[in-house]
């Protein structure tokens, strides 16, 4: 009987070798600056109680109304695959009382996120983010550092063709003052029922509407930045001046609307120039009320999520991926089955000495094995025979130019370390 093949689900992005090497490299570069700044790993479930996102991310967002993978589990509970990371981190912080210790709580995370969007280049239904959250302190210096950490991640990738956009969504007082005028403005527009309802939940959302007629109507709408309270305005001025001191270049985008409802105060996005419609490579901001909304103390936090898939596309577009670093230092070939044990020990020893080493498996001819070595891209090849086993020395063939170099098996640094 012949079985049909099964394909991956629609819109899912997966990474196989050799591309997965680039993916792994990109992810490391993006998160290293956060680790160096004292952020510690948080591993969280990929599914949560649906109420967490309804309440945390917000009922007016596309994410909650259209894009969540929600299902009933076997116990009849409503479960949702996480569309983003911040709500889950906050849930875990509150549940485990981390906010009762040293503040800010500084954590990083990395993993899959799920949004049932229409798939296209750079937009997937399962995608990857690395992110950080710094929870419990409201200090503009922290805002600037969080933004600088994200920026350093993109710089680590060698990216140049991107810009950082920042804005302030203000505190409760600023938003309340703006809301009054914005609602008045929106009441004078000819909007369909669904859009009006959205405006009732979060009028800022209408700025994010992609329809040209709505965009045109909103062109003269009152802008939140003009309503910032003294506190918010001073806070934002400080963030900007710290960023300038850090040498992080930014542009102000007064009309930025993020896709999630919890943002307040400093809010930002990184936009890449080579990615077409899906140009957002990362974004984040401050959230003053999220913790309280989720049943915790009234403490503020700030964080970001960087899109690993899109950062990889950006690195490909700017041609910044390293070529050589995914190849082994050493490829070891055993001359016949009796030499396999020595080849295995030599490989293990090479790895203990700090080098990557691969063994040629299967019983192929020396010619076939050399082809394998060539294909692997390893820097050096060693062939293990009787005399190598007896003497403990090998001849390493440098693949780039064919040079042969004799070395003791335990002293690889002399050759490979150079
Ligand atoms: P976000 O802007 O929704 O923010 O997502 C962050 C990044 O994830 C985006 O800039 C983008 O690069 C990537 N991304 C989002 N959706 C997709 C998709 N369908 N396919 C590929 N990449 C995607 C958040 O998720 C917030 N939790 C960030 C944050 C953390 N704010 C504060 N703390």
């Amino acid at each position: 009987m012949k079985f049909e093949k099964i394909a991956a689900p629609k819109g899912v992005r997966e990474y196989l070798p050799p591309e997965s090497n680039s993916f792994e490299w990109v992810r490391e570069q993006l998160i290293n600056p956060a680790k160096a700044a004292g952020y510690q790993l948080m591993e969280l479930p990929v599914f949560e109680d649906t109420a967490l996102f309804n309440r945390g991310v917000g009922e007016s967002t596309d994410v909650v109304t259209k894009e969540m993978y929600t299902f009933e589990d076997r116990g009849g509970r409503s479960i949702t695959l996480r569309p983003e990371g911040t709500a889950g981190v906050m849930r875990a912080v509150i549940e485990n009382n981390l906010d009762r210790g040293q503040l800010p709580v500084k954590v990083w995370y990395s993993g899959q996120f799920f949004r049932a969007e229409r798939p296209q280049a750079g937009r997937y239904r399962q995608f990857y983010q690395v992110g950080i959250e710094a929870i419990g302190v409201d200090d503009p210096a922290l805002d600037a550092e969080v933004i600088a950490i994200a920026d350093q991640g993109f710089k680590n990738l060698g990216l140049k063709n991107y810009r950082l956009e920042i804005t302030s969504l203000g505190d409760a007082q600023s938003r309340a003052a703006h809301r009054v005028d914005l609602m008045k403005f929106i009441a004078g527009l000819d909007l369909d029922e669904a859009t009006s309802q959205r405006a009732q939940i979060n009028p800022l959302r209408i700025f994010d509407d992609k329809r040209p007629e709505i965009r045109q109507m909103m062109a003269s709408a009152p802008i939140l930045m003009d309503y910032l309270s003294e506190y918010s305005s001073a806070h934002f001025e400080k963030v900007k001046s710290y960023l300038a001191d850090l040498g992080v270049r930014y542009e102000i985008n007064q009309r930025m609307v993020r896709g999630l409802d919890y943002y307040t105060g400093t809010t930002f996005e990184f936009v890449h120039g080579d990615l077409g419609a899906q140009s957002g490579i990362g974004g984040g901001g401050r959230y003053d009320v999220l913790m309280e909304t989720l049943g915790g103390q009234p403490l503020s936090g700030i964080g970001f999520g960087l899109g690993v898939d899109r950062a990889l596309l950006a690195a490909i577009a700017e041609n910044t991926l390293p070529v050589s670093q995914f190849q082994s230092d050493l490829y070891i070939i055993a001359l016949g089955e009796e030499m396999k044990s020595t080849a295995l020990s030599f490989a293990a020893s090479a790895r203990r000495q700090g080098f990557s080493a691969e063994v040629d498996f299967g019983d192929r001819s020396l010619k076939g094995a050399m082809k394998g070595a060539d294909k692997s891209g390893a820097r050096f090849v060693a062939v293990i025979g009787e005399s190598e086993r007896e003497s403990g020395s090998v001849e390493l063939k440098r693949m780039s130019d064919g040079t042969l170099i004799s070395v003791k098996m335990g002293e690889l640094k002399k050759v490979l370390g150079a």
Side-chain angles (χ1 to χ4, degrees):
M1 179 171 173
K2 195 164 171 349
F3 293 101
E4 267 184 42
K5 289 182 187 161
I6 298 169
K10 190 169 174 232
V12 157
R13 187 69 176 91
E14 45 192 4
Y15 295 94
L16 316 178
E19 189 193 21
S20 51
N21 294 309
S22 307
F23 174 83
E24 189 185 12
W25 180 79
V26 167
R27 191 173 51 187
E28 285 303 305
Q29 303 312 307
L30 289 178
I31 206 59
N32 281 343
K35 291 190 201 172
Y39 287 75
Q40 297 183 67
L41 175 65
M42 203 177 243
E43 278 291 355
L44 293 173
V46 297
F47 58 88
E48 297 268 5
D49 187 330
T50 301
L52 176 67
F53 303 114
N54 287 346
R55 237 197 290 159
V57 172
E59 311 259 20
S60 81
T61 61
D62 276 354
V63 169
V64 166
T65 54
K66 300 186 195 153
E67 297 171 359
M68 295 208 300
Y69 282 99
T70 298
F71 58 95
E72 204 173 272
D73 74 1
R74 286 165 196 277
R77 289 167 287 255
S78 181
I79 294 291
T80 293
L81 297 183
R82 61 181 183 187
E84 64 95 49
T86 312
V89 168
M90 192 57 97
R91 193 264 309 141
V93 166
I94 297 169
E95 191 172 352
N96 297 286
N97 295 318
L98 300 189
D99 54 319
R100 309 280 167 182
Q102 159 95 335
L103 297 179
V105 177
K106 296 199 302 188
V107 297
W108 68 272
Y109 51 88
S110 163
Q112 286 95 334
F113 295 86
F114 308 85
R115 295 181 193 175
E117 299 193 78
R118 199 166 47 76
Q120 64 179 86
R123 186 165 70 190
Y124 311 112
R125 293 183 169 173
Q126 173 176 287
F127 59 97
Y128 295 81
Q129 275 186 14
V130 297
I132 72 171
E133 310 296 341
I135 296 169
V137 172
D138 185 3
D139 177 346
L142 177 59
D143 299 30
E145 189 177 78
V146 164
I147 293 173
I149 287 170
D151 187 55
Q152 186 60 50
F154 293 127
K155 288 199 174 116
N156 284 355
L157 294 180
L159 299 184
K160 293 207 165 65
N161 190 13
Y162 69 92
R163 63 177 190 276
L164 162 64
E165 297 183 353
I166 62 171
T167 193
S168 172
L169 298 180
D171 55 7
Q173 190 192 333
S174 324
R175 283 194 308 282
H178 176 240
R179 191 185 163 106
V180 172
D181 284 0
L182 183 58
M183 289 306 271
K184 263 191 225 152
F185 177 86
I186 288 176
L189 300 179
D190 183 20
L191 295 176
D192 59 89
E193 187 55 32
T195 312
S196 306
Q197 266 180 13
R198 279 189 127 190
Q200 292 300 327
I201 307 176
N202 181 0
L204 290 178
R205 206 48 56 237
I206 313 304
F207 282 107
D208 203 21
D209 203 304
K210 303 284 183 289
R211 289 171 292 180
E213 62 277 16
I214 308 264
R215 286 193 155 211
Q216 205 181 352
M217 288 186 216
M218 291 302 285
S220 53
I223 295 289
L224 181 47
M225 278 273 230
D226 295 333
Y227 291 77
L228 291 188
S229 66
E230 223 169 280
Y231 175 83
S232 289
S233 188
H235 194 287
F236 193 51
E237 286 307 313
K238 281 190 203 144
V239 174
K240 288 192 287 185
S241 98
Y242 288 131
L243 285 175
D245 293 345
L246 281 166
V248 175
R249 292 227 305 267
Y250 61 83
E251 292 166 21
I252 306 289
N253 177 355
Q254 298 197 330
R255 292 175 161 265
M256 185 192 304
V257 183
R258 304 270 298 127
L260 314 159
D261 266 355
Y262 46 65
Y263 291 113
T264 59
T266 312
T267 309
F268 55 94
E269 250 168 20
F270 290 86
V271 183
H272 197 271
D274 298 331
L275 299 185
Q278 305 308 315
S279 56
I281 51 175
R286 189 163 271 291
Y287 35 85
D288 286 342
V289 282
L290 179 63
M291 185 181 267
E292 216 178 347
T293 310
L294 295 176
Q297 312 186 66
L299 288 176
S300 181
I302 180 165
F304 62 66
L306 310 182
V308 186
D309 314 85
R310 291 185 193 170
L312 173 57
L313 290 173
I316 292 169
E318 289 201 48
N319 201 12
T320 62
L321 291 174
V323 187
S324 61
Q325 88 179 54
F326 314 127
Q327 289 140 1
S328 297
D329 296 311
L330 192 56
Y331 194 95
I332 302 168
I333 299 169
L335 271 185
E337 202 184 326
E338 327 70 81
M339 297 303 147
K340 279 218 170 136
S341 170
T342 310
L344 286 174
S345 311
F346 180 34
S349 154
R351 293 172 200 137
R352 284 195 297 273
Q353 292 174 65
F355 302 102
S356 51
E358 292 180 65
V359 176
D360 187 73
F361 293 109
D363 294 312
R364 30 184 186 181
S365 66
L366 182 57
K367 199 169 152 211
M370 284 307 287
K371 260 196 197 154
D374 221 21
K375 272 200 189 146
S376 82
R379 289 165 59 210
F380 289 87
V381 177
V383 179
I384 305 291
E386 191 71 45
S387 65
E388 284 75 19
R389 183 170 64 183
E390 296 313 313
S391 67
S393 290
V394 280
E395 285 218 314
L396 300 184
K397 180 176 176 188
R398 191 159 62 205
M399 295 304 272
S400 57
D401 58 5
T403 310
L404 294 172
I405 309 162
S406 190
V407 67
K408 284 237 172 289
M409 290 190 199
E411 296 175 2
L412 288 175
K413 272 209 176 81
K414 287 185 182 164
V415 177
L416 297 186

